[in-house]
Amino acid sequence: MQTESVVRLQKELEKGSALLVASVPGRFYLTGFETSDGYVLITPENAYFLIDFRYYEKAKELVKSCDVLLSNAALRQVSELCEENGISNLFVESEYASLSFFNSLKESVSPVSVSDDGRFDSLLREMRSVKTQRELELIREAQKLTDDTFSYILERIETGRTEREVMLDMEFYMRRLGSEGVSFDFIVVSGKNSSLPHGVPTDKIIERGDFLTMDFGAVVGGYRSDMTRTVAVGSVSDEQKRVYETVLKAQNAAIEAVRPGEICKDIDKIARDIINKAGYEGCFGHGLGHSVGIEIHEWPNFNTRCEAVLKPGTVMTVEPGIYLENRFGVRIEDMVFVTESGCENITKSEKRLICL
Ligand code: GLY
Ligand code: MN
Ligand code: MN
């Protein structure tokens, strides 16, 4: 799948132009090999992966989409390759390039001009937003580990345990199942802490009457999953139930509307309107969701601004929440795959309110 992406980019390059990909996710997308450093240089005719000694042996074995070159003075090599290939204009990923990288690249490759017009940022994000069968399979596998971890932890959540203990238990179990890492630092927040959408697990003890929100995901083959479940511990008040049911209703209505041709901000509005009409205006202060893949947050987004049109092959999260400051919060998050005619929910964990 990496070779097809490289060929697609080559087709977009005019004669005399090249693209330098230097970001971690960009390199992974085009080589299938995750490295902390290195460059992919794509010209209309050739593709090179410049990689240092730490990764070189493995890269030669794994990377099929590019010629693998041992690098020691990478930017000088980029300059030489530009000269060999008759390149006079070099595009960079402007969203990722720091100012200092941009300046040293300009100096190293001169007289080749360096272009930061963002053309290839948009193309790459659009390409990455439509998953191949293989990418989808990896995301499904990652979600399976996530669902399995949820079933496991449901048996182990009890009053007296702390948020951090639950988080560590989940992470250890998920990695033992085969996850390559965590898809992001797990959010495990209870009671008053559950009103913090991105709260950090603390030593707070889980108590009777708490909502416990767990937002977590696995990594398989470099691809991520993302799921949130909120469960009640011991008992649940009428107000907690009402908030939970409102979030669930908003989520189900938004998922129901996901299909090719829909505009992202309109999907966000469906969930937001339900929450607002239930009397919780101002309590859902984040976007409804985002695409997921190599990175946990990819383009496009379900929020009040994103005008992207949904396409088959895109994986999106749908994650409305209601957060009552200093009291409690609820978020429910699934990942859906946009099909030719609608969407498929690839998250299988129970969503009806669970009271443990
Ligand atoms: N935990 C990150 C997210 O759900 O977006
Ligand atoms: Mn999440
Ligand atoms: Mn998410």
Side-chain angles (χ1 to χ4, degrees):
M1 63 196 181
Q2 289 85 23
T3 303
E4 280 125 58
S5 304
V6 167
V7 169
R8 169 85 208 276
L9 292 166
Q10 283 177 321
K11 287 196 182 128
E12 295 292 325
L13 287 162
E14 294 121 29
K15 194 168 181 297
S17 289
L19 169 67
L20 186 68
V21 173
S23 69
V24 173
R27 279 196 308 268
F28 179 74
Y29 181 63
L30 297 174
T31 62
F33 184 38
E34 189 167 332
T35 54
S36 63
D37 214 339
Y39 298 93
V40 174
L41 178 68
I42 301 177
T43 73
E45 311 276 314
N46 292 305
Y48 308 95
F49 182 36
L50 285 91
I51 189 67
D52 67 71
F53 184 80
R54 293 170 300 166
Y55 299 106
Y56 182 58
E57 184 181 344
K58 199 72 186 163
K60 280 191 295 180
E61 177 195 326
L62 292 180
V63 178
K64 308 287 178 235
S65 56
C66 305
D67 295 335
V68 178
L69 305 179
L70 177 64
S71 87
N72 34 45
L75 293 190
R76 201 190 65 221
Q77 288 168 287
V78 169
S79 170
E80 289 164 2
L81 289 167
C82 284
E83 198 177 334
E84 266 174 43
N85 283 272
I87 300 301
S88 54
N89 183 34
L90 185 58
F91 288 96
V92 293
E93 299 161 285
S94 47
E95 278 174 14
Y96 287 95
S98 69
L99 201 52
S100 68
F101 169 71
F102 186 69
N103 287 334
S104 47
L105 180 65
K106 271 211 304 212
E107 204 178 301
S108 303
V109 300
S110 169
V112 172
S113 64
V114 180
S115 181
D116 65 345
D117 68 4
R119 205 174 104 189
F120 282 89
D121 293 272
S122 356
L123 179 59
L124 274 164
R125 71 183 194 180
E126 271 168 37
M127 287 166 60
R128 280 174 53 186
S129 75
V130 176
K131 267 58 181 179
T132 62
Q133 278 305 320
R134 180 67 190 140
E135 287 176 307
L136 179 61
E137 252 170 56
L138 295 171
I139 294 171
R140 276 187 204 282
E141 280 175 44
Q143 183 50 40
K144 169 87 171 67
L145 302 187
T146 309
D147 285 323
D148 290 349
T149 301
F150 183 61
S151 303
Y152 164 86
I153 204 65
L154 281 181
E155 303 291 318
R156 285 160 185 83
I157 293 167
E158 55 191 22
T159 53
R161 294 196 83 187
T162 68
E163 296 168 349
R164 263 175 58 75
E165 279 167 10
V166 170
M167 177 273 287
L168 290 169
D169 202 353
M170 291 167 75
E171 179 169 338
F172 190 76
Y173 184 77
M174 183 180 268
R175 293 181 78 125
R176 219 170 41 194
L177 284 183
S179 180
E180 288 151 20
V182 289
S183 133
F184 53 90
D185 286 342
F186 290 179
I187 297 166
V188 176
V189 283
S190 65
K192 282 185 182 181
N193 292 347
S194 62
S195 76
L196 308 168
H198 272 198
V200 175
T202 67
D203 292 325
K204 177 193 167 298
I205 284 170
I206 296 165
E207 292 168 279
R208 191 179 159 78
D210 278 355
F211 263 155
L212 176 69
T213 295
M214 293 160 283
D215 184 352
F216 58 110
V219 186
V220 174
Y223 284 78
R224 278 152 219 275
S225 61
D226 190 8
M227 170 173 103
T228 307
R229 287 292 180 267
T230 300
V231 298
V233 182
S235 65
V236 60
S237 70
D238 288 347
E239 188 185 17
Q240 282 175 305
K241 254 191 228 161
R242 192 164 61 243
V243 168
Y244 191 93
E245 292 309 326
T246 304
V247 173
L248 185 56
K249 185 174 164 198
Q251 201 223 23
N252 283 332
I255 291 175
E256 190 68 26
V258 172
R259 67 178 63 87
E262 290 292 327
I263 297 170
C264 286
K265 67 177 191 182
D266 294 345
I267 305 291
D268 178 281
K269 188 169 185 305
I270 291 170
R272 204 165 294 282
D273 283 351
I274 290 175
I275 289 173
N276 291 348
K277 277 197 192 114
Y280 297 104
E281 189 152 5
C283 302
F284 172 30
H286 57 74
L288 178 69
H290 52 89
S291 195
V292 190
I294 294 167
E295 291 176 282
I296 186 65
H297 294 136
E298 298 195 349
W299 179 91
N301 295 93
F302 286 145
N303 60 27
T304 54
R305 303 168 306 281
C306 184
E307 307 216 345
V309 176
L310 284 174
K311 284 188 185 161
T314 300
V315 173
M316 299 293 296
T317 70
V318 182
E319 49 178 309
I322 294 178
Y323 309 92
L324 305 181
E325 194 174 330
N326 220 17
R327 298 186 57 214
F328 65 86
V330 172
R331 180 167 64 259
I332 306 170
E333 174 177 28
D334 287 349
M335 281 197 310
V336 300
F337 167 63
V338 183
T339 61
E340 293 295 329
S341 57
C343 75
E344 178 199 331
N345 194 334
I346 58 181
T347 304
K348 305 298 176 200
S349 294
E350 179 62 71
K351 284 198 287 193
R352 279 171 303 187
L353 179 57
I354 297 172
C355 190
L356 297 168

